[in-house]
Amino acid sequence: MTNFKLIPDRSREIILGALRQNAPEFFNTDEYLRLAKLDPKLAEYPGLVCGAFTSFLCAKLEREEDVRKYFEIIEGWAATKDSYIENYLITEVFENVNLPTLGEERFKGNLRPISLQLYKHWMEYPPEDRLSSH
Amino acid sequence: MNPALLLAFALLPFSSGSAQEVTQTSGQRPPLAADTGAAKAAPELARLDQVLTLAQESKDQGRLTPERYQEFLAQFRVSLDNARAAAPPSPAAEALYARILARLGDSQQAMVALAPARQRDPQDPDLRVALGHVRFEEKDYPAAYAEAEAVLKLDPANKAALALKYFSQGRIAGTAAATTRLPPPGLEEVSVLDDPRVAEAGRRALAHQTALGLTDEAMRRLKIKDPREALRYLSMAGAIDPELPNVPMQQGLAYADLKQHAAAVERFTQAESMWRARETPRTDQLAGLAQTMREREAANLLQAQASAQSPASQPKKPATPLPYDAVGLVLIAVGVGTFLVLEKRRDEAAIREAVEVYGPAGLVVAGGALVAMTMLPPARVAGPSLRAATVLARETELIQATAAGIGAGTILMASKQDGKASNSADPTSSNSPSGTQGGTSQGEPDRDRLLKKAQDPELRDAIDKLYRKNAKIGSGSTMDGYRYESQTGTRLSKSGHGQKLVERRDQLMRVLHKPDLSPGDRQITKDILIDIQNALSGL
C-alpha cells in the first residue's frame, strides 16, 4: 500500500465552485432544482451537476441566447487537466449534448481550444484509432 | 512472525507451572522454538506447525467445533503440501514436515518422510528430534525421551530436544522428574509465569496475532485474484481465532470474487454482527458491504425472475441446428407441404397461390428459397429474385426445395432464440430484461423506446443521459459502453464510464423511491438499475 499515491478528487469543489462563481443563475434552473428536489445530496454529485448543466446549456443554445460565459466555464474545467474533471466533461457534458434543431456542430463550434481538443480526441475518433495518451 | 513471539510461545508451557500441571493438561505438545534449524530452514512450515498447535488447542478448549476443525484440516493439508514443495530440501525441513504429519496423526507417513534423510545422516539433531516427536505422538514416551537425550548428549543447549525431553518426562508415569519444579537448564533467563490465566491470555494473544498474520496473507491473495487460496488462509485464521471479524469479512470478499453472492452476504452479515459486539464497531463499512451484496443478490434475483417471465429477454443461446420450436415445425411442415404441391404443379402461379393462401408462411417459404439460393451452388447463379426463386423451385430437386423450407423455419427459430443473431460478435450485447439489446425487434433504438414509455421527468432525464443518440456501441447506453471498456480494455473516456454509472445509479435509486412513480415507470427504473448493476458486476 505504501507504493500508492492517492490523488485527491477535487472535482466537486472545482466544478461546483466554478458554477457558483461564474453562473450562479444555474442553481435556480429547473434542471438543477430537479436534482436537488430528488435528493439534496445528488445536487452535490459533480457528474449529475455536469449533466444538468449540459441540459441547461443546450436549452440556451436552442434559444440562441448568449452562451459565451458557459463555454468559458467548460474551458476552465478542461484547462485544469484534472483527469476526474476531464472524465466528467466527456461523459456528462460532451456525451449529453442534445441539440435537435441546431446539431452537435453548433456546440462544438462554441468550444474553446483546450476543450475543443478534448472533444475532438474523445468524441470524433473511433476508439481503436485513438492514441492512448491525450 | 515475530521471533520473540515464537520463542514466547515455545516457553509458555514451562511458564504455566509445574511439570505436574503439564501432565494434567491434555493435548499439550512440545513446542518448536524459533531458533531451531528447522524453523529457520523452512519458516512457512514452522508457521504451519504453530498454526496447527493453536488450532488443536482451540479444539481442545471447545472454542472450535469438530466440524470447523475438520474444515480447517482440509485447508491445512493443502497448505502443508504447498509449503513442503516450496521449502528448499534439507534435513531440517524434512524434520519439520514429519513433525507436523505426526501431529496430524500420520505417524507412518511421517516415518516415510524421515527415512531418506535419516539414511543419509542418522545423527542429524533435527531428524532425531523429529523422530522423537513421531514417537511422542504414538504415545511411546520412553522412545521420545531417548531420542531427546541422544541429541542433548551432543548439544546440551538444543531447545527442541529439551522441550521434547521434559514433555516426555511429564508423560512417563511414576518418574521423579515429573514432579520437579526446577526450570530446565539453559532457560533461567525466562521469567516464570505461575498464573495460568496469564498463560492463557498469552496464548490467546498469540492466537490472535497469528490469525491476523494469516488474514494479511489472505488479503495478499485476494489482491492477486486468488480467492481460493485466500479462503484456505482464512479457514486457518478462523480456526485459530474464531472471534476475529476480519475472517468472515475477507471470506465475504473472496466469495464475492467467486460470484457466490449468497455466501458472501452470509459472511458479511456475520462480520457485521461480530463488529457490533465489539467496542469499536465498523458497522458502517460492513453494513455498506452487506447492503451492496444484498442489492446485488436482489438484482440478480429480479433479473432471473424477469428473464423467466419475459421470453423475449432470454439470455443468448447458441442457435440449435434441430427444430424444437413448434412455430418452426409448423413453418417447416408448411414449407415441405408447399413444395410438395409445387413439385406436382411446377408453375409460377402455384408459387403465387402459395403466398396468397399461406400468407406469412408463404413469405417464409419464399424467403427460405432465397436463403437456399445463397447457400446452394446452383442458386448463386440464379440471382436473388422471387422469379428466379420460383424458377429454382420449379427446377430443383424435391429435397433441395424441402431444404429451403427447412432453412426458413430454422432461421426463424434461430433468430427467435438468439435475439440479435447478427450481433453475436458484438462484445457489448447486454442482457437486460427490459429488452435493451440494441432495440426491439422493430429496430427502434432503446433510447427512443424508453423515452416514449417513461413519464416521470427525473426518469426521462436519466434515460436521456444514459442512452446516447446514434448509438455506436451496443445499444448506445452507458452500460454497454462500460461493458465495451471492460471487455476490450479500450476506454471511451479519460477514466472510463464507471463513475457515471455509479452516480446515475444513485439518481435512479432515488427515482425508484418516489411515492408517486407509476408502475410502468417503476418497472423501467428497475430494469435500468439491473442493467447498470450487471454492467458494474461484469455481466
Side-chain angles (χ1 to χ4, degrees):
Chain A
M1 294 297 286
T2 56
N3 290 334
F4 289 96
K5 181 182 171 187
L6 288 175
I7 300 173
D9 180 3
R10 295 168 49 230
S11 53
R12 179 178 300 164
E13 66 184 74
I14 290 175
I15 286 173
L16 272 78
L19 287 170
R20 285 194 183 107
Q21 190 173 351
N22 301 309
E25 67 278 10
F26 165 70
F27 295 95
N28 288 325
T29 60
D30 287 340
E31 289 86 355
Y32 178 80
L33 290 171
R34 249 204 315 260
L35 262 184
K37 188 181 155 198
L38 203 52
D39 188 334
K41 287 183 190 168
L42 291 181
E44 297 288 313
Y45 282 27
L48 299 183
V49 169
C50 282
F53 174 72
T54 307
S55 300
F56 160 75
L57 179 56
C58 289
K60 277 202 166 287
L61 268 170
E62 289 278 325
R63 292 192 297 265
E64 306 272 2
E65 293 175 12
D66 185 6
V67 293
R68 279 174 295 181
K69 72 170 178 177
Y70 304 112
F71 280 94
E72 290 291 346
I73 293 173
I74 291 176
E75 181 71 359
W77 288 342
T80 61
K81 297 292 184 189
D82 181 297
S83 58
Y84 293 107
I85 295 173
E86 286 180 331
N87 203 54
Y88 283 125
L89 274 173
I90 297 160
T91 61
E92 292 282 5
V93 178
F94 299 159
E95 287 185 0
N96 288 335
V97 169
N98 183 10
L99 293 166
T101 33
L102 299 174
E104 288 179 18
E105 287 301 313
R106 177 62 72 91
F107 183 92
K108 182 185 161 188
N110 277 284
L111 287 171
R112 302 292 187 263
I114 301 174
S115 47
L116 181 62
Q117 187 188 15
L118 193 69
Y119 181 94
K120 281 182 176 175
H121 181 87
W122 289 101
M123 305 302 289
E124 294 190 343
Y125 293 106
E128 55 274 14
D129 291 347
R130 205 173 289 138
L131 292 171
S132 57
S133 62
H134 168 69
Chain B
M1 177 59 70
N2 189 335
L5 280 172
L6 272 177
L7 183 60
F9 173 74
L11 298 172
L12 272 172
F14 299 103
S15 64
S16 64
S18 66
Q20 183 70 27
E21 287 175 19
V22 168
T23 60
Q24 287 168 355
T25 306
S26 65
Q28 285 212 353
R29 294 174 171 84
L32 181 68
D35 57 351
T36 59
K40 284 180 184 169
E44 182 63 21
L45 282 170
R47 191 173 66 153
L48 286 173
D49 180 77
Q50 188 184 29
V51 164
L52 182 60
T53 300
L54 292 168
Q56 286 175 335
E57 276 184 10
S58 293
K59 178 174 76 76
D60 292 341
Q61 289 160 15
R63 288 186 290 133
L64 196 61
T65 62
E67 293 77 25
R68 288 283 303 276
Y69 181 67
Q70 290 305 316
E71 197 184 297
F72 155 76
L73 280 182
Q75 305 288 352
F76 181 83
R77 284 183 185 276
V78 174
S79 298
L80 178 63
D81 291 337
N82 291 342
R84 190 201 182 194
S90 69
E94 291 304 315
L96 195 38
Y97 179 65
R99 170 186 153 96
I100 296 173
L101 282 174
R103 294 182 58 200
L104 287 172
D106 295 339
S107 303
Q108 216 165 356
Q109 209 178 336
M111 293 300 288
V112 166
L114 280 176
R118 287 199 67 229
Q119 232 173 358
R120 290 190 291 273
D121 185 2
Q123 296 305 321
D124 181 274
D126 288 326
L127 294 174
R128 291 209 77 153
V129 169
L131 181 60
H133 282 302
V134 175
R135 298 294 181 222
F136 186 94
E137 294 298 331
E138 290 175 335
K139 299 192 185 348
D140 188 354
Y141 304 120
Y145 181 85
E147 293 294 335
E149 278 281 291
V151 172
L152 288 168
K153 276 198 177 111
L154 299 170
D155 181 12
N158 188 305
K159 288 197 169 76
L162 276 169
L164 178 61
K165 174 184 169 181
Y166 284 99
F167 268 87
S168 304
Q169 270 182 337
R171 298 299 171 102
I172 296 169
T175 58
T179 58
T180 184
R181 290 196 56 152
L182 289 174
L187 294 171
E188 290 92 332
E189 67 273 16
V190 176
S191 62
V192 175
L193 302 166
D194 288 327
D195 191 334
R197 291 172 297 180
V198 175
E200 175 60 24
R203 274 194 284 273
R204 282 184 180 270
L206 189 59
H208 180 72
Q209 194 74 15
T210 307
L212 280 177
L214 289 167
T215 57
D216 284 346
E217 286 296 328
M219 191 51 101
R220 284 190 199 104
R221 299 301 186 279
L222 284 173
K223 281 180 184 166
I224 61 169
K225 300 293 177 195
D226 189 357
R228 293 190 196 281
E229 190 63 20
L231 283 171
R232 274 192 270 278
Y233 277 96
L234 291 167
S235 177
M236 290 191 281
I240 292 167
D241 188 354
E243 292 163 20
L244 185 61
N246 299 34
V247 171
M249 186 181 86
Q250 290 182 15
Q251 283 173 332
L253 293 172
Y255 282 123
D257 278 351
L258 291 167
K259 307 267 188 272
Q260 294 176 30
H261 299 306
V265 169
E266 187 202 330
R267 291 296 192 272
F268 284 139
T269 308
Q270 183 188 358
E272 187 181 1
S273 59
M274 286 169 84
W275 277 112
R276 282 186 192 279
R278 290 184 162 221
E279 287 179 5
T280 54
R282 293 161 56 190
T283 54
D284 55 343
Q285 180 180 352
L286 290 162
L289 277 172
Q291 182 60 23
T292 299
M293 294 315 303
R294 283 189 206 106
E295 283 175 12
R296 193 177 290 182
E297 187 64 22
N300 287 339
L301 280 173
L302 275 172
Q303 185 192 10
Q305 284 165 9
S307 297
Q309 287 164 13
S310 167
S313 62
Q314 287 292 332
K316 266 196 311 186
K317 292 177 192 170
T320 56
L322 293 176
Y324 294 111
D325 185 88
V327 172
L329 278 171
V330 167
L331 288 172
I332 288 164
V334 166
V336 170
T338 304
F339 281 104
L340 280 174
V341 168
L342 294 176
E343 167 67 18
K344 287 186 180 174
R345 295 178 62 175
R346 288 184 175 271
D347 60 5
E348 288 179 288
I351 300 281
R352 283 195 293 275
E353 188 183 274
V355 172
E356 284 166 17
V357 168
Y358 291 107
L363 286 174
V364 165
V365 164
L370 285 172
V371 170
M373 279 167 48
T374 62
M375 290 191 299
L376 301 172
R380 289 197 194 102
V381 178
S385 69
L386 186 57
R387 190 166 190 287
T390 59
V391 169
L392 183 67
R394 188 167 57 228
E395 295 180 358
T396 52
E397 295 294 332
L398 175 61
I399 193 164
Q400 287 174 317
T402 307
I406 292 173
T410 308
I411 285 164
L412 258 185
M413 285 176 352
S415 60
K416 178 178 177 295
Q417 286 176 355
D418 259 5
K420 287 194 290 186
S422 61
N423 289 341
S424 60
D426 186 344
T428 63
S429 304
S430 56
N431 293 317
S432 166
S434 67
T436 55
Q437 295 183 9
T440 61
S441 56
Q442 288 78 33
E444 187 181 27
D446 285 346
R447 175 192 162 86
D448 296 342
R449 182 176 56 81
L450 290 169
L451 283 173
K452 267 188 203 171
K453 287 185 189 174
Q455 303 298 317
D456 181 83
E458 280 81 27
L459 175 59
R460 292 177 60 81
D461 178 61
I463 292 168
D464 178 56
K465 301 294 190 293
L466 280 169
Y467 292 82
R468 287 187 70 187
K469 282 184 182 178
N470 308 319
K472 291 175 187 150
I473 290 174
S475 64
S477 65
T478 307
M479 292 70 85
D480 278 354
Y482 183 79
R483 288 185 180 98
Y484 178 91
E485 288 170 341
S486 301
Q487 291 169 15
T488 64
T490 303
R491 287 201 201 120
L492 301 173
S493 67
K494 190 84 177 184
S495 325
H497 283 68
Q499 184 63 26
K500 180 172 180 179
L501 283 181
V502 168
E503 292 194 12
R504 292 292 165 187
R505 180 183 63 183
D506 285 358
Q507 180 190 19
L508 284 167
M509 288 297 293
R510 303 300 191 284
V511 170
L512 191 65
H513 288 109
K514 285 176 80 174
D516 55 347
L517 198 67
S518 70
D521 281 353
R522 189 173 301 279
Q523 188 59 48
I524 292 173
T525 309
K526 274 187 190 170
D527 289 345
I528 298 175
L529 278 169
I530 288 170
D531 199 12
I532 290 175
Q533 196 57 44
N534 281 343
L536 288 171
S537 303
L539 300 171

